[in-house]
Amino acid sequence: MKSYIFVTLAFILAATAASVVKNDAKYIIKDDDSPDTDWWKTAVFYQIYPRSFMDSDGDGIGDLQGIIQKLHHLQDAGVTATWLSPIFKSPQVDQGYDISDYRDIDPDYGTLDDLKELLELAKALGIKIILDFVPNHTSDQHEWFQKSVAKEKGYEDFYVWHDGKVVDGTRVPPNNWLSEFKGSAWEFNEERQQYYYHEFAIQQPDLNYSNPKVVEAMKDVLRYWLDFGVDGFRVDAVPYLFEDPEFKDEPLIDGCTDVTNKNCLDHIYTKDLPPTYDMIYEFREVLDNFTETNKVDTRVMMTEAYAAIEKQMLYYGNADGTVKGAHFTFNFGFISSLSKDFTVDDIVNAIRTWIKNIPDQYTSNWVLGNHDNRRVATRLGRENVDGFNMLTAILPGVMVTYNGEEIGMEDGEVTCEEGYDPQAIKDCSTFDQTSRDFERTPFHWDNTPNAGFTTGTPWLPVSAKAKDTNLADQNVEGVSSHYNVYKQLMEFRKNFQKTFALDTTSAIKLTDHVVQVGRYVDKDEFILVFNVGDFEEIVDFYRTKQSYKVVVTSVNSLYKPGDSVDELTLLPHESVILQGF
Ligand code: NOJ
Ligand code: MG
């Protein structure tokens, strides 16, 4: 089946790029962020999952020396910033998101000296290092928690404690609040004879943000790492910082009756509480003070919040930009709104929803995956890997890449017995649906045993797919590979960064199966056409009399960079970036 499309919009858009048309029913054109080009505004933030990136000492666990060994990979890829999932002291109940000492490195990953070494090398290579800041909860092994349990002076209210209720002579939790990791969010502590609140695992007690001492202690953690020399923070689980001080029961969502099902409760008392945003603005002040006092490059903050779009935007700051929050809050639109059988409409809507909601002065960002979600190649199809990397590369602002996306890595194979995800291993019967271990298996460096990740026994099994999908095979000049496409995209972004800081964006459904994303500034025009369907599609530009030069193509494409085209035949799942001339 072939369909013929006449693209007239591109010409009109190119001609009118300076005059901004907003909220058009068919497509969106919008002024991008402020024209200044601070380093982070057009950066690619590459997420390293340290435990699975590279193991230097053969214990089967990735570590800081491993990252040091492989830092040139980021440079080779063209990436200039990386955020590391937690490397701090931790019993590893939630793979490092349960921190027992915010100021030290877990021996699994190395030492403070290793981190120093990494920062120095990164600086020499021009790569920014961002750490994961986990403010909502600590490990139950943290000394603050131990002291709080013992009601030591100054620590009594560091966590969220409650006597609970007595029902029919039995003590029960104070309310119906549920943990993200299933079951009641309250755990009784024998020593203190009270319940403590934990949004996540039992071993992850929530800090009490209505206690100014907690706030100060956490700001000190930020200052400690800023002084250490890091370039910023990814801030974990921010919607959960505050809980309702009256501990009221959460209401059931309409039509739902199961109070033991987290999805049945409306989380008005445990999530997105109004003081949350002010807390983020306060954290931002700590960063800005450091940047100003020390006259250094901007230290950035990116927040992790799965929330309604209007709430997400509040993390950026207030609408007129006078109060600042996160430099950006992760845009999870391509994760939350696209499923296996996504359509062109879904992509266009995800883009438009974000762009319509983000105030003009803030910087957009685009995320395809992370350590909490199935890998994009598995979720949205490995044949679409290049198309999605192109989408996030061409869209305005920051691009976020989860390690492995540059080579099109799919999820690994893990059994419940081999898995570690605390919420999933509780119940093996649902492990396949709930576990996050699949997207956390070791990186595929090459096709030697254990994919070059470790000489020991990997903490999670290395995927059998490493034989066919690995960096060494893909990183060969002239070879058609996801990695070479990714490198070209990084080059493309670098070359047109300035242009992109000023331009306008459109997202259009060309046909049921072809999405077009355009970027326009003055006479420059770049478009991505991405065929998400299983049939050939023809895109022609006769009516606009516009000709295009091919800039980047997907692995299955027959076009080559530099080709001139005024018509394209897109193969199934082919994607091409073009420059108008
Ligand atoms: C979000 C992190 O990304 C996830 O891995 C973790 O389990 C929770 N926050 C709790 O810290
Ligand atoms: Mg909390």
Side-chain angles (χ1 to χ4, degrees), residues 322-381:
T322 48
V323 179
K324 290 183 179 139
H327 291 81
F328 60 93
T329 195
F330 288 127
N331 169 6
F332 294 126
F334 289 149
I335 294 177
S336 313
S337 9
L338 304 187
S339 58
K340 188 98 198 141
D341 21 66
F342 69 90
T343 63
V344 167
D345 278 326
D346 295 334
I347 296 180
V348 169
N349 288 339
I351 297 171
R352 291 181 178 188
T353 303
W354 179 266
I355 291 185
K356 264 187 199 155
N357 279 279
I358 186 166
D360 280 353
Q361 71 275 16
Y362 296 133
T363 298
S364 292
N365 74 93
W366 310 89
V367 182
L368 291 178
N370 55 36
H371 63 294
D372 293 329
N373 292 283
R374 293 307 194 106
R375 285 184 171 277
V376 62
T378 302
R379 229 174 49 239
L380 304 178

Side-chain angles (χ1 to χ4, degrees), residues 407-422:
I407 56 170
M409 251 178 90
E410 292 170 77
D411 283 346
E413 311 80 29
V414 185
T415 63
C416 190
E417 291 68 34
E418 293 164 327
Y420 286 92
D421 183 356

Side-chain angles (χ1 to χ4, degrees), residues 293-307:
T293 314
N294 296 284
K295 306 268 173 290
V296 287
D297 284 0
T298 305
R299 292 334 194 218
V300 297
M301 174 164 67
M302 49 188 101
T303 42
E304 185 221 26
Y306 293 86

Side-chain angles (χ1 to χ4, degrees), residues 139-153:
S139 158
D140 60 352
Q141 303 303 307
H142 196 291
E143 71 165 313
W144 297 340
F145 188 69
Q146 311 282 329
K147 288 180 173 172
S148 198
V149 166
K151 287 200 178 165
E152 231 179 79
K153 204 168 164 347

Side-chain angles (χ1 to χ4, degrees), residues 22-91:
K22 281 196 179 181
N23 301 331
D24 184 276
K26 267 197 154 166
Y27 53 87
I28 298 163
I29 313 175
K30 166 182 186 300
D31 265 335
D32 201 22
D33 313 296
S34 54
D36 70 293
T37 47
D38 199 357
W39 69 268
W40 58 273
K41 287 194 165 187
T42 47
V44 178
F45 286 83
Y46 180 91
Q47 179 191 355
I48 289 181
Y49 192 69
R51 213 169 174 76
S52 292
F53 195 59
M54 180 65 197
D55 173 23
S56 72
D57 60 3
D59 66 356
I61 297 171
D63 45 48
L64 288 170
Q65 283 299 331
I67 298 176
I68 289 169
Q69 281 174 20
K70 294 294 188 184
L71 208 58
H72 60 86
H73 165 55
L74 273 62
Q75 194 189 32
D76 180 70
V79 163
T80 52
T82 176
W83 73 270
L84 314 179
S85 281
I87 48 172
F88 315 103
K89 266 225 168 88
S90 162

Side-chain angles (χ1 to χ4, degrees), residues 405-477:
E405 282 171 4
E406 74 277 31
I407 56 170
M409 251 178 90
E410 292 170 77
D411 283 346
E413 311 80 29
V414 185
T415 63
C416 190
E417 291 68 34
E418 293 164 327
Y420 286 92
D421 183 356
Q423 46 149 9
I425 55 176
K426 271 184 185 174
D427 179 1
C428 280
S429 70
T430 53
F431 181 81
D432 286 353
Q433 291 79 54
T434 59
S435 181
R436 298 170 295 174
D437 290 304
F438 304 107
E439 60 266 20
R440 297 175 177 180
T441 59
F443 190 89
H444 303 170
W445 296 103
D446 52 41
N447 65 11
T448 63
N450 290 330
F453 163 70
T454 182
T455 53
T457 309
W459 75 285
L460 272 181
V462 171
S463 167
K465 296 171 192 129
K467 262 174 85 61
D468 301 318
T469 306
N470 64 72
L471 181 67
D473 288 350
Q474 293 192 23
N475 195 11
V476 177
E477 221 184 296

